[in-house]
Amino acid sequence: MADRISRHDVAHVAWLARLELGDEELERFTTQLADVLDYAAEVEALNLDGVPATSHPYPVGNVLRDDVPEPGLDRAEVLAQAPETEAGQFRVPPVRGEAP
């Protein structure tokens, strides 16, 4: 285990997260977190000069159609098909707790 993280560090993070860890769990998590930090250090040490930054490993394109405005529905025609209307709007049952 590297000196990257100590048992005390893991216990402190567990305390901050309001986790109760036993001795065995502290040992296991300290080892696991040290391994993660060692791997992160290996990745950080890679020479990435000339490698472009990417957010996705595969080429991704927009699969949506172009956003082209189109005329909407005729208001009078739509309201004519509604079960009930009032003042040029749909009339719906009151929301629970509201007075009619």
Side-chain angles (χ1 to χ4, degrees):
M1 178 174 69
D3 293 325
R4 295 191 180 282
I5 191 164
S6 69
R7 180 183 166 103
H8 179 266
D9 294 331
V10 174
H12 180 68
V13 171
W15 177 81
L16 291 173
R18 307 294 190 258
L19 298 174
E20 291 185 29
L21 300 180
D23 289 338
E24 184 180 307
E25 290 172 315
L26 273 175
E27 285 300 321
R28 183 177 60 220
F29 293 146
T30 301
T31 302
Q32 289 176 348
L33 286 171
D35 291 343
V36 169
L37 292 174
D38 288 341
Y39 185 72
E42 289 178 26
V43 171
E44 186 179 19
L46 293 174
N47 180 5
L48 300 177
D49 293 339
V51 178
T54 58
S55 61
H56 198 278
Y58 303 107
V60 177
N62 190 353
V63 295
L64 303 175
R65 65 173 171 77
D66 288 337
D67 190 12
V68 179
E70 296 180 4
L73 300 172
D74 179 63
R75 181 183 189 97
E77 184 180 341
V78 171
L79 288 173
Q81 298 177 37
E84 293 183 55
T85 63
E86 181 179 304
Q89 299 178 1
F90 292 107
R91 177 161 171 66
V92 295
V95 177
R96 186 183 305 188
E98 287 187 2

